[in-house]
Amino acid sequence: MAEIIEFSGAVLTGPKDERRGLWSIDGRLTFVRPAAVPNVVLDGWVLPGLVDAHCHVGLGPGGAVDGETARRQATADRNAGTLVIRDAGSASDTRWLQHRPDMPRIIRAGRHIARQRRYIRGLAEEVEPDGLVEAVRKQARSGDGWVKIVGDWIDRAAGDLGPSFPAAMVKDAVAAAHDEGARVTAHCFAEETIDDMLDADIDCIEHATGLLARHIPRLLDQGVPIVPTLINIATFPDIAKQAEAKFPRYAAHMTALWERRHERVSEAFEAGVRIYAGTDAGSVIKHGRIGEEILELHRAGLPPAAALDAACWSARDWLGQDGISEGASADVVLYAEDPRVSLDVVLKPQRIVLRGTCQETASIRNKLKLQVI
């Protein structure tokens, strides 16, 4: 007998598209009313499961974590409504989580690639410039179509942010990834790093705190999106405070980048640059915070529907993931109110359905509008 879920509320198939009448039959969505009586009826505003476009399942402050910790991380993301994760580098092999039906869909990028002694210890594959191309090819073959390069970090000799690799090497590395059929994204804090990455034909910019007016036409012309990770950028003042005595230039630079974070995102959005929501969970940022990132994008100037879109319909399209459409996997999140109007509800999913299965979570178990037939 088929397992049927009826969604009785409004269904948002896009930021401006609303319809009624949606069912899940054996884990697949349909707009055609089934002849059989549904097993379960769920009320609420229905959206495609959210996307965290910069997340690190399997990563902790010192590098790889054990399997149970990785599972808890992914569960926290799922319980927040994140049903698609674009991994942005992990020291753990999380392929085993991809086979679990109760876990979010994870699009892996292999391991970060960083300059030797120029990144957080234990997190990345560390190489010198002459090893960058080979490392990129290796991670491209290990991941699911993405490679992550650490484009800049503190250069202790200079006392400030500096590029991790020479621009010519980055260009060769991006070309190598494209040759392997992978896209490349890069950690970019500093202004000049974005220039180098755009020159290299990069596919995405992470953080983009150094975004300047000169970068915006190039981002548009080259179709390069940014993932601002604003809840992570909120840590910059503490980083600057810790570094100020020994590296005052670096501390001042990080503070200045933090001060303009909202302004830069707003300028990019107004110009038409594509923006996606990512929490940078893992290491120092806790998992399950996609709602906070959506709200932070709104504070940076994105209208509610656009901030939501950055973690929903457009983000799914970008990553090749189905939204709410005929025959798509039943991966949806329900809210008590229309999140385009009451954006704060993204912090409190009412119900989560993943692969056609209702997910019980401690935070929502007693707050369900659920009718069992």
Side-chain angles (χ1 to χ4, degrees), residues 19 22 28-32 322-328:
R19 61 187 299 178
L22 180 70
R28 293 289 168 181
L29 295 175
T30 182
F31 294 103
V32 179
D322 289 336
I324 295 178
S325 59
E326 189 70 29

Side-chain angles (χ1 to χ4, degrees), residues 216 219-220 224 266-275:
I216 289 178
L219 291 168
L220 291 169
V224 178
S266 178
E267 289 169 354
F269 172 75
E270 292 297 332
V273 174
R274 288 180 294 154
I275 297 172

Side-chain angles (χ1 to χ4, degrees), residues 57 74 85 87 93-109 142-145 355:
V57 173
I85 291 170
D87 162 66
D93 185 344
T94 56
R95 277 175 281 203
W96 65 277
L97 284 168
Q98 293 175 313
H99 300 293
R100 288 193 52 149
D102 60 336
M103 291 291 106
R105 301 178 191 275
I106 302 176
I107 302 169
R108 298 170 47 259
S142 175
D144 302 321
R355 298 178 178 89

Side-chain angles (χ1 to χ4, degrees), residues 5 45 63 75 102 118 122 170 172 198 217 231 235 238 244 253 262 273 289 296 321 327 332 347-349 360:
I5 300 173
W45 291 79
T75 300
D102 60 336
R118 289 279 303 279
V170 173
D172 289 345
L198 291 172
I231 62 172
T235 65
D238 286 340
E244 188 170 15
H253 196 175
H262 286 165
V273 174
R289 298 182 64 189
E296 193 65 17
Q321 301 293 304
V332 299
L347 297 174
K348 297 178 180 179
E360 292 284 357

